[in-house]
Amino acid sequence: MQHRPRIQKGVSRAATVRFVIDGIELDAPAGESLAAALMAAGIGTIRHGPMDGQPRSVFCLIGLCQECLVEIDGMQIEACRVNVSAGMQVNRLRPMDPIKP
Amino acid sequence: MSQAFDIAVVGGGILGCATALRLAEGGMNAIVIEKSDLGQGASGVNAGTLSLQIKRVKLMPYALRGWAKWQAMGAAIGFHQTGGISLAFNQREADLLQERMTMKAEAGAPITLISGRDARAREPGLSDRVVAASWCPQDGHANSSLTGQYYRHQLRDARIAIREHCPVTKIDQTDRGFVLHGYGETIHARRLLLACGGWLKGVAALLGVDLPVRARVNTVSVTERGPRIMNTVVGHATGLLTMKQKTNGTVLIGGGWQGRGSPMNGRGLVDRDTLIPNLCLAQYAVPEIARLRVLRSWTGFEAHVPDFNPLAGALPGTKNAFVLGCVRGGYTIGPYISELMGDLILGRDPEMPLFDPSRPFDIETATRRIL
Amino acid sequence: MTYDLAVIGAGPAGASATIEAAKAGLDTVLIDEQRAAGGQVWRAKGPAIKAAPATPEGKTGDRLRAALAAVTADRHFSARVWDIERHTDGFRISAISPTGALTIETRAVLLAGGAQERVFAVPGWTLPGVIGLGAATALMKEQLVLPGNRVIVAGVGPLLSFVAHEIIRNGGKVAAVVDLNPLSVWLRCLPDLIGSPGLLVRGAWWRLRLWAAGVAYFHECGIRSIEGDRAVSRVTIGAVDANWCPLGAATQTYDADAVCLGHGLAPATEASRLLGADHQYDGGQGGWKPVTDDVGRTTVPGLFVAGDGAGVQGAAAAQLQGRISALAIAEDLGLLTTREWRRRSAPLILRIGKAQRFGRAMTALTIPRPGLIEAIAPDTLVCRCEGLSRHDIEAEIRAGANWPNAIKSGTRCGMGPCGGRYCTETVTELACRITGKTPGEFGIPTARPPLRPVPIGCLSGEFDYDDLPIPPPAPL
C-alpha cells in the first residue's frame, strides 16, 4: 500500500521515535496512533480475516471494528487505541492453529 | 375450525424438538410452538459441554446414551470429542474430586483419577497449582448456537409444523383435547407436551397446574480468538467451571455461576459479582487466558425441581398432557430422554425409566392443583 | 462514594451535560474512551500534534474542553465502560481505565455515547485502504494524516462533502465524490436548514470549494466495486435509481488508493439496550433509539440519554440536549427546585427546535433505501469478523431463520469481536427484503456485556484463590 501523507502545512509534531512491527523498524512521531503510523508507513495488511483469510486493515479508527488488531506485550489490542512509543514491539496476528485431534 | 394436530409441543428447545421428531416418526402429526426462536433458550445459550464428569450419578446411564446421540449428529451440530480434565487445587478439592469421580466411574463413565503432573502432560497450559485431577476421554463439546438451525432443518424435513415468536398465552381444555392461543394464532391439538424449560411453571399454570419448577440463571462467557492454549474441556472438582477452546480459537467459559433475573420477569442478566470470580477461576486453571479479551457474557435459564431429577411423564391431573423438563445436564441428555418421552406418548415401553412428575416433592413445594 | 450523576461519553452532549450538572451542584463523574473530550465531531488533536492550524471544529472543541476543565467533576479518559448494572437505588458502572479497573456507583446515569457510523457492504469494502467516512474525520482531525493519495469519497449524507473538503484543504487529492442522493434532496430540505444559517453556509462552502478545485461530484451514483491486489487500486462507480438500486450497465472506473465510505450514523444503543430500556425504530433518527421523553428520560428510572445516542440530530442539538438532561436529572434528584429547573431550562428548550430541525433533516438524507443492498454481490462479505458473505446470510434466512437472534446463532453473524456493529444494518435490510418485515418488526439482537472487549486479566486483577466465592458443588 502507498504511504498515507501526514499533513504538513502549519503542523508541528512530536519528535520521531522508532518502533518495530514484525522485525521491520519504522519511525513515527511519539504519541501518534499506531494505526495512523502504520498507514503513514504504507503498511497495508494489518491482519487477515480469520475465517476468510483476506487482507484487512484499519477501518473505523475509533476502536470498534477490531480490524486493526495487533499484538503488543502478548495482548491483542486495536492499533487505533495505542500511541506509538520508542522501542514499541508490535506483532501482527498469526493465523489460528487447528485443534489437535 | 383450523386443523387439529395429534400433539402440540410447547417449547422449541432440544427436548421439545427431539420429542416432536420421535412422535413424527411414530406417525403423529405434531406442531412445535416456541415463544422466541427455536433453540434460543437454555438449549442454545449453554456452554455446549458434553462432559460426563459433570453429570449426576443417577443420570449417568442417560448421559452416556445422550452422548452417543450427539456423536451421531456430528459436524452438523459441531460435535468434538476432546477429552476433559477436572482440577483440584487443594487437598479438600482433591478429596471431593476422588469421592465424586469414583461414584461417577462406578455409574459407567470412563473417568480415571490422575496426578497434577499427568494433567499438565495432557494439557500443558494448565496451572502448576493443580494438585490432583480426573480425566475422561469421552468428554467434549458441541456448538449450542447451532441447536436452533439443526432442529429447524430436522423439523422441516420431518414435515413438523413450527410456530416461532408465538408465546402461548392461554390454553383451553375441551372434550377433544386442547386449544392453544398464541400470538394471533389458535391451535387445536388432541395432546399436549410442555417442554418449555424455565417457562414450565408459567405455562403449566395456564392449565391450573402448579409445578415446583425454579430456574437457575447460568452465566457463560466467550473470548476473542486467540492462539491455541488448550485442547480439552477443563473443569473443576466442584463442577463450577467448564472451559474449552473452540476450533475457531475462541474460549467458552461456563460452570453455572448465577446471574440475576427469572424467566417470568424477562431476560436474565449477567451479574458482575459472579462473572468476575468465574473468570478468575478460569484464569487460575489456565493462566494464559488472562491475555484474551472477553467479547460477550450472557445467561440462560436452567429449570430444576427440588430433587434435581427430571420431570418426564404425564402432567399431574391433566389427561393427555405431558411434561418434559428440568433435566440436569439437559444438553447432553436431552436428545435421548426426548426419545424416551416420545415413546411414552406413543404408548410404547421406553427403554429406560422416566421420572414421574407426580412424585412427591418436599411438602412445601409438592406438585398440587392451584384450585 | 456514590455520585449523583455519571455521564458516559464526553462529546457535545456529555461534556455539556457535565458542565451543566457540576454548575447545578451535582457530584458528577465523566467517563470517555477517547483520549480527550470532544467526541467524534469536536475531536481533540492527538498527543503527537504539537501545533496545527485552527479549524472551526477544533476551536469549538477547545472552547468546550476549556469550559469542562473549569468545573468541578471527576473525569476519566481512555476509560472503557464494559458494564452498567442497576444496583441498589442507582447504578454500578464497571470500566477499565489506564490505571486499572474502575467501579463507579451513581444515583443517575446519562448515556451520551453518540452515534456510530453505518457502513453498508459493497464489493471490495474489506480491502485495506477502505475506511469509514467517520474514520476519515478521526484520522484527519486527531492524527492529521490523510486517508490516501487519491481518494474516492462515497456513500450518503453530509459527511461526504466535509471529508472531501478536508482532504483537499489539507493538500490531498479526491478522485471523485460519489453520492447516492440526487442534488434535489438537498434543495428539498433547505427550509429545515435555513434556521441554522451558520451550518448551512459551511455546507455550501464545502461544495463550492470542491467545485472550484475541480473535484468530480456525482449525484445518484454508487460504488459498484472496489478492486485491488491486497489494497485498493481501482473503484468502479455507476448510476443508481431513486431507491439507490444500481441502474444500467454504464460504469466508470477510477484509479484510487483509498475509499472513504459511509451511509450515515446510527444511535449507539448498546448501553441503553443492556440496561433494558424500551427502544423504537425511527429511520429518520438513524434507526433503533431508546424511547425517551423531551428531557431524555428513558423507561428505566434514573437512566437518561442525550445526544445522538437518543436519535441522531447532530452536535448543536446534542449540546443543548445534554444541558437540558443534566438539569432534569438535578431536579429529579431534588438538587434543583422545579422553579429553578424551569428558569434554567427554558432558554435551552427555546433554542433546541431549530438545531433539531437541521439535524433531523441531515439524518433523513441517510435513511437506507431498499435498493442499497442490490449493490452487494453474493460473495461480498457482509460480516467482516466471521467472514460471512451475502449468500451465507441469505441462505440462513431462507432456511427459516427469520429473526436477528436466530440468524446470529445459525451463522455467527454478529458474534465476532465488533459485536455486530458493522453487519447488523446490512443483515436487517437483507432479512427485510426476504421476509417482508420492516426493520422495526425485525428487531435488533440482544445486547450483552461487556460493552467493549475486556482482557480477562484486567477483570480478574490480583486475587487470592481462597477468596474466590466458589459455591458448593451441584448435587451428586
Side-chain angles (χ1 to χ4, degrees), chain B residues 37 40 56 89 93 100 145 149 152 156 165 225 236 260 267 272-273 280 283 290 292-294 296-297 328, chain C residues 85 92 94 103 274 276 386 396 399-400 403 405 409-410 415 448-449 453-454 456-457 460 463 465 474 476:
Chain B
D37 303 281
Q40 289 292 325
R56 298 196 65 191
F89 295 113
E93 289 171 359
R100 293 170 74 88
S145 297
Q149 183 194 63
R152 187 175 291 112
R156 284 191 161 196
H165 286 253
R225 296 182 169 90
H236 187 251
R260 290 177 291 158
R267 66 210 178 115
R272 197 191 87 148
D273 294 339
C280 287
Q283 182 188 324
L292 294 179
R293 299 179 304 165
V294 184
R296 205 163 53 252
S297 299
R328 198 81 183 194
Chain C
E85 294 172 290
R92 182 170 63 174
S94 306
T103 301
L274 177 65
E386 300 298 325
E396 190 67 14
W403 301 92
N405 287 333
S409 300
M415 280 195 188
R448 300 290 189 191
V454 204
I456 288 181
S460 56
F463 67 92
Y465 181 73
L476 261 171

Short mmCIF file of all heavy atoms in Angstrom, two decimals, chain B residues 37 40 56 89 93 100 145 149 152 156 165 225 236 260 267 272-273 280 283 290 292-294 296-297 328, chain C residues 85 92 94 103 274 276 386 396 399-400 403 405 409-410 415 448-449 453-454 456-457 460 463 465 474 476:
data_model
loop_
_atom_site.label_atom_id
_atom_site.label_comp_id
_atom_site.label_asym_id
_atom_site.label_seq_id
_atom_site.Cartn_x
_atom_site.Cartn_y
_atom_site.Cartn_z
N ASP B 37 -37.23 -17.90 19.18
CA ASP B 37 -36.77 -18.69 18.04
C ASP B 37 -36.43 -20.08 18.53
O ASP B 37 -36.08 -20.26 19.70
CB ASP B 37 -35.51 -18.08 17.43
CG ASP B 37 -35.69 -16.64 17.01
OD1 ASP B 37 -36.25 -16.41 15.94
OD2 ASP B 37 -35.25 -15.73 17.76
N GLN B 40 -33.26 -21.05 21.25
CA GLN B 40 -32.67 -19.81 21.78
C GLN B 40 -32.74 -19.75 23.30
O GLN B 40 -32.27 -18.80 23.90
CB GLN B 40 -33.36 -18.58 21.19
CG GLN B 40 -33.04 -18.34 19.73
CD GLN B 40 -31.60 -17.95 19.52
OE1 GLN B 40 -30.99 -17.27 20.33
NE2 GLN B 40 -31.01 -18.40 18.42
N ARG B 56 -24.89 -36.02 36.86
CA ARG B 56 -25.30 -36.63 38.12
C ARG B 56 -25.16 -38.14 38.01
O ARG B 56 -25.40 -38.73 36.95
CB ARG B 56 -26.76 -36.28 38.43
CG ARG B 56 -26.99 -34.79 38.62
CD ARG B 56 -28.32 -34.57 39.30
NE ARG B 56 -28.30 -35.13 40.65
CZ ARG B 56 -29.39 -35.27 41.41
NH1 ARG B 56 -30.56 -34.89 40.95
NH2 ARG B 56 -29.29 -35.77 42.62
N PHE B 89 -7.30 -27.90 43.31
CA PHE B 89 -6.17 -27.02 43.62
C PHE B 89 -5.72 -27.13 45.07
O PHE B 89 -4.79 -26.47 45.48
CB PHE B 89 -6.53 -25.56 43.29
CG PHE B 89 -6.76 -25.33 41.83
CD1 PHE B 89 -8.02 -25.00 41.34
CD2 PHE B 89 -5.71 -25.45 40.92
CE1 PHE B 89 -8.24 -24.79 40.00
CE2 PHE B 89 -5.91 -25.24 39.57
CZ PHE B 89 -7.18 -24.91 39.11
N GLU B 93 -10.33 -30.12 47.80
CA GLU B 93 -10.90 -30.35 46.47
C GLU B 93 -10.47 -31.71 45.91
O GLU B 93 -11.24 -32.36 45.19
CB GLU B 93 -10.46 -29.22 45.52
CG GLU B 93 -11.13 -27.89 45.84
CD GLU B 93 -10.57 -26.71 45.06
OE1 GLU B 93 -9.62 -26.93 44.25
OE2 GLU B 93 -11.06 -25.59 45.25
N ARG B 100 -16.38 -37.91 44.28
CA ARG B 100 -17.41 -37.72 43.24
C ARG B 100 -17.08 -38.52 41.98
O ARG B 100 -17.95 -39.16 41.40
CB ARG B 100 -17.57 -36.23 42.92
CG ARG B 100 -18.16 -35.44 44.10
CD ARG B 100 -18.09 -33.95 43.88
NE ARG B 100 -19.06 -33.46 42.91
CZ ARG B 100 -20.30 -33.09 43.23
NH1 ARG B 100 -20.73 -33.18 44.47
NH2 ARG B 100 -21.12 -32.66 42.30
N SER B 145 -24.94 -22.99 19.82
CA SER B 145 -25.55 -21.97 18.96
C SER B 145 -26.25 -22.59 17.76
O SER B 145 -27.14 -21.99 17.17
CB SER B 145 -24.50 -20.99 18.44
OG SER B 145 -23.91 -20.31 19.50
N GLN B 149 -30.70 -23.97 14.43
CA GLN B 149 -30.53 -24.26 13.00
C GLN B 149 -30.71 -25.76 12.74
O GLN B 149 -31.42 -26.17 11.81
CB GLN B 149 -29.14 -23.81 12.56
CG GLN B 149 -28.86 -23.97 11.10
CD GLN B 149 -27.36 -23.83 10.82
OE1 GLN B 149 -26.56 -24.62 11.29
NE2 GLN B 149 -27.01 -22.80 10.07
N ARG B 152 -34.34 -26.83 13.28
CA ARG B 152 -35.22 -26.25 12.27
C ARG B 152 -35.18 -27.11 11.01
O ARG B 152 -36.20 -27.44 10.41
CB ARG B 152 -34.83 -24.81 11.97
CG ARG B 152 -35.82 -24.10 11.04
CD ARG B 152 -35.48 -22.63 10.84
NE ARG B 152 -35.69 -21.86 12.05
CZ ARG B 152 -34.71 -21.30 12.76
NH1 ARG B 152 -33.46 -21.41 12.36
NH2 ARG B 152 -34.98 -20.62 13.85
N ARG B 156 -38.29 -29.44 9.67
CA ARG B 156 -38.79 -29.20 8.31
C ARG B 156 -38.77 -30.49 7.48
O ARG B 156 -39.72 -30.79 6.77
CB ARG B 156 -37.95 -28.13 7.63
CG ARG B 156 -38.28 -26.74 8.14
CD ARG B 156 -37.64 -25.71 7.25
NE ARG B 156 -38.31 -24.43 7.45
CZ ARG B 156 -38.21 -23.41 6.64
NH1 ARG B 156 -37.47 -23.48 5.55
NH2 ARG B 156 -38.85 -22.28 6.89
N HIS B 165 -41.83 -17.28 17.54
CA HIS B 165 -42.30 -15.98 18.02
C HIS B 165 -43.79 -16.04 18.33
O HIS B 165 -44.55 -15.15 17.97
CB HIS B 165 -41.96 -14.87 17.02
CG HIS B 165 -40.50 -14.54 17.06
ND1 HIS B 165 -39.99 -13.40 17.60
CD2 HIS B 165 -39.43 -15.27 16.65
CE1 HIS B 165 -38.66 -13.43 17.52
NE2 HIS B 165 -38.30 -14.55 16.95
N ARG B 225 -10.87 -14.66 19.52
CA ARG B 225 -9.99 -15.73 19.04
C ARG B 225 -8.59 -15.49 19.57
O ARG B 225 -8.13 -14.35 19.65
CB ARG B 225 -9.90 -15.70 17.52
CG ARG B 225 -11.20 -15.98 16.84
CD ARG B 225 -11.01 -15.98 15.34
NE ARG B 225 -12.19 -16.51 14.72
CZ ARG B 225 -13.22 -15.77 14.35
NH1 ARG B 225 -13.19 -14.46 14.51
NH2 ARG B 225 -14.28 -16.31 13.81
N HIS B 236 -13.56 -28.20 37.00
CA HIS B 236 -13.11 -28.04 38.38
C HIS B 236 -13.80 -29.09 39.24
O HIS B 236 -14.91 -29.54 38.91
CB HIS B 236 -13.50 -26.62 38.86
CG HIS B 236 -12.96 -26.25 40.19
ND1 HIS B 236 -13.76 -26.14 41.31
CD2 HIS B 236 -11.70 -25.96 40.61
CE1 HIS B 236 -13.02 -25.79 42.35
NE2 HIS B 236 -11.77 -25.69 41.95
N ARG B 260 -28.69 -12.88 37.35
CA ARG B 260 -29.92 -12.41 38.01
C ARG B 260 -31.10 -12.52 37.07
O ARG B 260 -30.94 -12.64 35.87
CB ARG B 260 -29.73 -10.96 38.47
CG ARG B 260 -28.75 -10.83 39.63
CD ARG B 260 -28.55 -9.39 40.00
NE ARG B 260 -27.81 -8.69 38.94
CZ ARG B 260 -27.83 -7.39 38.74
NH1 ARG B 260 -28.56 -6.63 39.51
NH2 ARG B 260 -27.12 -6.86 37.77
N ARG B 267 -35.64 -11.15 30.62
CA ARG B 267 -34.37 -11.81 30.36
C ARG B 267 -33.53 -11.92 31.63
O ARG B 267 -33.73 -11.19 32.59
CB ARG B 267 -33.63 -11.04 29.29
CG ARG B 267 -33.24 -9.68 29.77
CD ARG B 267 -33.16 -8.64 28.67
NE ARG B 267 -32.83 -7.39 29.33
CZ ARG B 267 -31.70 -6.73 29.13
NH1 ARG B 267 -30.82 -7.16 28.26
NH2 ARG B 267 -31.45 -5.62 29.79
N ARG B 272 -21.97 -8.92 37.62
CA ARG B 272 -20.53 -8.73 37.69
C ARG B 272 -19.91 -9.48 38.86
O ARG B 272 -18.79 -9.96 38.80
CB ARG B 272 -20.26 -7.23 37.84
CG ARG B 272 -18.86 -6.83 37.53
CD ARG B 272 -18.63 -5.40 37.95
NE ARG B 272 -18.22 -5.36 39.34
CZ ARG B 272 -17.40 -4.46 39.86
NH1 ARG B 272 -16.94 -3.49 39.08
NH2 ARG B 272 -17.06 -4.49 41.11
N ASP B 273 -20.68 -9.58 39.98
CA ASP B 273 -20.14 -10.19 41.19
C ASP B 273 -19.97 -11.70 41.07
O ASP B 273 -19.30 -12.32 41.90
CB ASP B 273 -21.03 -9.87 42.40
CG ASP B 273 -20.99 -8.38 42.71
OD1 ASP B 273 -20.03 -7.71 42.30
OD2 ASP B 273 -21.93 -7.88 43.36
N CYS B 280 -11.98 -15.51 37.12
CA CYS B 280 -10.78 -15.73 37.95
C CYS B 280 -10.46 -17.21 38.03
O CYS B 280 -9.31 -17.63 37.90
CB CYS B 280 -11.00 -15.18 39.36
SG CYS B 280 -10.97 -13.38 39.48
N GLN B 283 -9.01 -18.42 34.86
CA GLN B 283 -7.63 -17.96 34.72
C GLN B 283 -6.69 -18.71 35.66
O GLN B 283 -5.54 -18.98 35.32
CB GLN B 283 -7.57 -16.45 35.00
CG GLN B 283 -6.18 -15.85 34.83
CD GLN B 283 -6.12 -14.41 35.31
OE1 GLN B 283 -7.08 -13.67 35.15
NE2 GLN B 283 -5.01 -14.02 35.90
N ALA B 290 -5.62 -15.05 30.65
CA ALA B 290 -5.61 -13.65 31.13
C ALA B 290 -5.39 -12.69 29.97
O ALA B 290 -5.84 -11.55 29.99
CB ALA B 290 -4.51 -13.47 32.18
N LEU B 292 -6.50 -13.00 26.90
CA LEU B 292 -7.61 -12.91 25.95
C LEU B 292 -8.67 -11.94 26.45
O LEU B 292 -8.87 -11.80 27.64
CB LEU B 292 -8.23 -14.29 25.72
CG LEU B 292 -7.35 -15.31 25.03
CD1 LEU B 292 -8.08 -16.63 24.90
CD2 LEU B 292 -6.94 -14.80 23.65
N ARG B 293 -9.36 -11.33 25.52
CA ARG B 293 -10.42 -10.40 25.90
C ARG B 293 -11.78 -11.10 25.85
O ARG B 293 -12.06 -11.87 24.93
CB ARG B 293 -10.43 -9.20 24.95
CG ARG B 293 -9.10 -8.42 24.98
CD ARG B 293 -9.12 -7.25 24.01
NE ARG B 293 -9.43 -7.69 22.67
CZ ARG B 293 -9.78 -6.87 21.68
NH1 ARG B 293 -9.87 -5.58 21.88
NH2 ARG B 293 -10.04 -7.35 20.49
N VAL B 294 -12.60 -10.83 26.84
CA VAL B 294 -13.98 -11.34 26.82
C VAL B 294 -14.76 -10.50 25.83
O VAL B 294 -14.71 -9.27 25.86
CB VAL B 294 -14.66 -11.19 28.20
CG1 VAL B 294 -16.04 -11.81 28.17
CG2 VAL B 294 -13.84 -11.83 29.27
N ARG B 296 -18.22 -11.37 25.14
CA ARG B 296 -19.65 -11.40 25.43
C ARG B 296 -19.89 -12.36 26.59
O ARG B 296 -19.33 -13.44 26.64
CB ARG B 296 -20.38 -11.93 24.19
CG ARG B 296 -21.81 -11.51 24.04
CD ARG B 296 -22.33 -11.72 22.61
NE ARG B 296 -22.10 -13.06 22.12
CZ ARG B 296 -21.21 -13.39 21.20
NH1 ARG B 296 -20.46 -12.48 20.64
NH2 ARG B 296 -21.05 -14.63 20.82
N SER B 297 -20.73 -11.93 27.51
CA SER B 297 -21.22 -12.81 28.57
C SER B 297 -22.74 -12.80 28.50
O SER B 297 -23.32 -11.77 28.16
CB SER B 297 -20.77 -12.31 29.94
OG SER B 297 -19.37 -12.29 30.02
N ARG B 328 -31.25 -32.06 34.62
CA ARG B 328 -29.91 -31.58 34.98
C ARG B 328 -28.90 -32.19 34.00
O ARG B 328 -28.88 -33.40 33.84
CB ARG B 328 -29.64 -32.07 36.41
CG ARG B 328 -28.56 -31.37 37.12
CD ARG B 328 -29.02 -30.08 37.69
NE ARG B 328 -27.83 -29.47 38.27
CZ ARG B 328 -27.85 -28.47 39.09
NH1 ARG B 328 -28.99 -27.91 39.41
NH2 ARG B 328 -26.74 -27.98 39.57
N GLU C 85 -24.86 -1.80 35.51
CA GLU C 85 -25.92 -2.59 36.12
C GLU C 85 -26.77 -1.68 36.99
O GLU C 85 -26.27 -0.75 37.59
CB GLU C 85 -25.33 -3.65 37.07
CG GLU C 85 -24.50 -4.72 36.45
CD GLU C 85 -23.83 -5.57 37.53
OE1 GLU C 85 -22.91 -5.07 38.21
OE2 GLU C 85 -24.24 -6.72 37.70
N ARG C 92 -24.35 0.74 38.94
CA ARG C 92 -22.94 0.46 39.15
C ARG C 92 -22.29 0.34 37.78
O ARG C 92 -22.73 -0.45 36.94
CB ARG C 92 -22.75 -0.83 39.95
CG ARG C 92 -21.29 -1.11 40.23
CD ARG C 92 -21.13 -2.25 41.21
NE ARG C 92 -21.66 -3.48 40.65
CZ ARG C 92 -21.55 -4.66 41.26
NH1 ARG C 92 -20.97 -4.75 42.43
NH2 ARG C 92 -22.03 -5.74 40.70
N SER C 94 -18.87 -0.38 35.54
CA SER C 94 -17.56 -1.02 35.57
C SER C 94 -16.79 -0.56 34.33
O SER C 94 -17.31 -0.61 33.22
CB SER C 94 -17.69 -2.54 35.53
OG SER C 94 -18.54 -2.97 36.57
N THR C 103 -14.67 1.07 39.39
CA THR C 103 -16.08 0.80 39.70
C THR C 103 -16.69 2.09 40.20
O THR C 103 -16.14 2.72 41.11
CB THR C 103 -16.21 -0.30 40.77
OG1 THR C 103 -15.59 -1.48 40.29
CG2 THR C 103 -17.68 -0.59 41.07
N LEU C 274 -28.60 -2.77 26.93
CA LEU C 274 -28.12 -3.63 28.01
C LEU C 274 -28.91 -3.38 29.30
O LEU C 274 -29.22 -4.30 30.05
CB LEU C 274 -26.63 -3.37 28.25
CG LEU C 274 -25.98 -4.13 29.40
CD1 LEU C 274 -25.98 -5.62 29.12
CD2 LEU C 274 -24.55 -3.65 29.63
N GLY C 276 -31.91 -2.53 29.50
CA GLY C 276 -33.30 -2.95 29.38
C GLY C 276 -34.28 -1.83 29.11
O GLY C 276 -35.49 -2.01 29.30
N GLU C 386 -16.59 -12.60 10.94
CA GLU C 386 -16.74 -14.05 10.78
C GLU C 386 -16.64 -14.47 9.32
O GLU C 386 -16.86 -15.64 8.99
CB GLU C 386 -18.09 -14.50 11.37
CG GLU C 386 -18.23 -14.20 12.85
CD GLU C 386 -17.19 -14.94 13.70
OE1 GLU C 386 -16.85 -16.07 13.36
OE2 GLU C 386 -16.72 -14.34 14.69
N GLU C 396 -29.30 -18.71 5.22
CA GLU C 396 -29.81 -18.96 6.58
C GLU C 396 -31.23 -18.39 6.73
O GLU C 396 -32.09 -19.03 7.33
CB GLU C 396 -28.85 -18.32 7.61
CG GLU C 396 -29.13 -18.70 9.04
CD GLU C 396 -28.88 -20.17 9.35
OE1 GLU C 396 -28.24 -20.86 8.53
OE2 GLU C 396 -29.34 -20.62 10.41
N ALA C 399 -33.65 -20.52 4.98
CA ALA C 399 -33.88 -21.79 5.68
C ALA C 399 -34.78 -21.61 6.89
O ALA C 399 -35.00 -22.55 7.64
CB ALA C 399 -32.55 -22.40 6.10
N GLY C 400 -35.27 -20.40 7.11
CA GLY C 400 -36.27 -20.21 8.16
C GLY C 400 -35.80 -19.39 9.35
O GLY C 400 -36.58 -19.18 10.28
N TRP C 403 -35.34 -14.10 12.31
CA TRP C 403 -35.23 -13.09 13.34
C TRP C 403 -33.76 -12.90 13.71
O TRP C 403 -32.96 -13.83 13.51
CB TRP C 403 -36.05 -13.50 14.57
CG TRP C 403 -37.49 -13.70 14.24
CD1 TRP C 403 -38.08 -14.88 13.87
CD2 TRP C 403 -38.51 -12.71 14.19
NE1 TRP C 403 -39.41 -14.67 13.61
CE2 TRP C 403 -39.71 -13.36 13.79
CE3 TRP C 403 -38.54 -11.33 14.43
CZ2 TRP C 403 -40.92 -12.67 13.64
CZ3 TRP C 403 -39.74 -10.66 14.28
CH2 TRP C 403 -40.91 -11.32 13.90
N ASN C 405 -31.79 -12.97 16.40
CA ASN C 405 -31.02 -13.91 17.21
C ASN C 405 -30.86 -15.26 16.52
O ASN C 405 -29.86 -15.94 16.71
CB ASN C 405 -31.67 -14.09 18.59
CG ASN C 405 -31.45 -12.86 19.47
OD1 ASN C 405 -30.47 -12.14 19.31
ND2 ASN C 405 -32.38 -12.61 20.38
N SER C 409 -27.25 -16.90 15.73
CA SER C 409 -26.85 -18.22 16.24
C SER C 409 -26.46 -19.17 15.12
O SER C 409 -25.50 -19.91 15.24
CB SER C 409 -28.00 -18.86 17.01
OG SER C 409 -28.37 -18.07 18.07
N GLY C 410 -27.24 -19.15 14.05
CA GLY C 410 -27.01 -20.13 13.00
C GLY C 410 -25.76 -19.87 12.18
O GLY C 410 -25.12 -20.80 11.70
N MET C 415 -21.51 -12.29 15.97
CA MET C 415 -20.94 -12.85 17.20
C MET C 415 -19.45 -12.53 17.33
O MET C 415 -18.84 -12.88 18.33
CB MET C 415 -21.08 -14.37 17.21
CG MET C 415 -22.43 -14.86 17.60
SD MET C 415 -22.30 -16.61 17.98
CE MET C 415 -24.01 -17.03 18.16
N ARG C 448 -25.46 -7.54 25.21
CA ARG C 448 -24.84 -8.27 26.31
C ARG C 448 -23.57 -7.58 26.76
O ARG C 448 -22.89 -6.96 25.95
CB ARG C 448 -24.44 -9.68 25.84
CG ARG C 448 -25.59 -10.53 25.34
CD ARG C 448 -26.47 -10.93 26.48
NE ARG C 448 -27.46 -11.93 26.07
CZ ARG C 448 -28.48 -12.29 26.82
NH1 ARG C 448 -28.66 -11.72 27.99
NH2 ARG C 448 -29.33 -13.19 26.41
N PRO C 449 -23.21 -7.73 28.03
CA PRO C 449 -21.91 -7.22 28.45
C PRO C 449 -20.80 -8.17 27.99
O PRO C 449 -21.11 -9.33 27.74
CB PRO C 449 -22.02 -7.23 29.98
CG PRO C 449 -22.98 -8.35 30.28
CD PRO C 449 -23.93 -8.42 29.10
N PRO C 453 -14.69 -5.15 24.28
CA PRO C 453 -13.86 -6.29 24.67
C PRO C 453 -12.96 -5.92 25.85
O PRO C 453 -12.35 -4.84 25.85
CB PRO C 453 -13.01 -6.57 23.42
CG PRO C 453 -13.76 -5.92 22.29
CD PRO C 453 -14.46 -4.74 22.87
N VAL C 454 -12.89 -6.79 26.85
CA VAL C 454 -12.04 -6.52 28.03
C VAL C 454 -11.13 -7.72 28.28
O VAL C 454 -11.61 -8.85 28.34
CB VAL C 454 -12.86 -6.36 29.33
CG1 VAL C 454 -12.10 -5.55 30.34
CG2 VAL C 454 -14.22 -5.79 29.08
N ILE C 456 -9.34 -10.60 30.12
CA ILE C 456 -9.70 -11.31 31.35
C ILE C 456 -8.77 -10.91 32.49
O ILE C 456 -9.20 -10.70 33.62
CB ILE C 456 -9.66 -12.84 31.11
CG1 ILE C 456 -10.86 -13.23 30.24
CG2 ILE C 456 -9.69 -13.62 32.43
CD1 ILE C 456 -10.96 -14.70 29.92
N GLY C 457 -7.49 -10.73 32.15
CA GLY C 457 -6.52 -10.35 33.18
C GLY C 457 -6.85 -9.02 33.83
O GLY C 457 -6.53 -8.81 35.01
N SER C 460 -9.85 -9.90 36.25
CA SER C 460 -9.51 -10.73 37.41
C SER C 460 -8.62 -9.96 38.38
O SER C 460 -8.77 -10.09 39.59
CB SER C 460 -8.83 -12.02 36.96
OG SER C 460 -7.69 -11.71 36.19
N PHE C 463 -5.83 -11.61 42.71
CA PHE C 463 -6.81 -12.27 43.59
C PHE C 463 -6.17 -13.45 44.28
O PHE C 463 -5.17 -14.00 43.82
CB PHE C 463 -8.06 -12.71 42.81
CG PHE C 463 -7.81 -13.81 41.80
CD1 PHE C 463 -7.96 -15.14 42.15
CD2 PHE C 463 -7.43 -13.50 40.51
CE1 PHE C 463 -7.73 -16.15 41.23
CE2 PHE C 463 -7.19 -14.51 39.57
CZ PHE C 463 -7.34 -15.83 39.94
N TYR C 465 -6.82 -17.23 45.55
CA TYR C 465 -7.71 -18.34 45.22
C TYR C 465 -8.69 -18.63 46.35
O TYR C 465 -9.88 -18.84 46.11
CB TYR C 465 -6.91 -19.60 44.89
CG TYR C 465 -7.76 -20.78 44.52
CD1 TYR C 465 -8.41 -20.82 43.28
CD2 TYR C 465 -7.96 -21.84 45.40
CE1 TYR C 465 -9.21 -21.89 42.93
CE2 TYR C 465 -8.77 -22.91 45.06
CZ TYR C 465 -9.39 -22.93 43.83
OH TYR C 465 -10.20 -23.99 43.49
N ALA C 474 -22.69 -29.02 42.79
CA ALA C 474 -24.03 -29.47 42.45
C ALA C 474 -24.29 -30.84 43.11
O ALA C 474 -23.36 -31.56 43.42
CB ALA C 474 -24.14 -29.60 40.93
N LEU C 476 -24.93 -34.69 43.75
CA LEU C 476 -24.36 -35.83 43.01
C LEU C 476 -25.40 -36.58 42.19
O LEU C 476 -26.47 -36.84 42.64
CB LEU C 476 -23.71 -36.78 44.01
CG LEU C 476 -22.20 -36.62 44.14
CD1 LEU C 476 -21.68 -37.44 45.30
CD2 LEU C 476 -21.49 -37.02 42.86
#
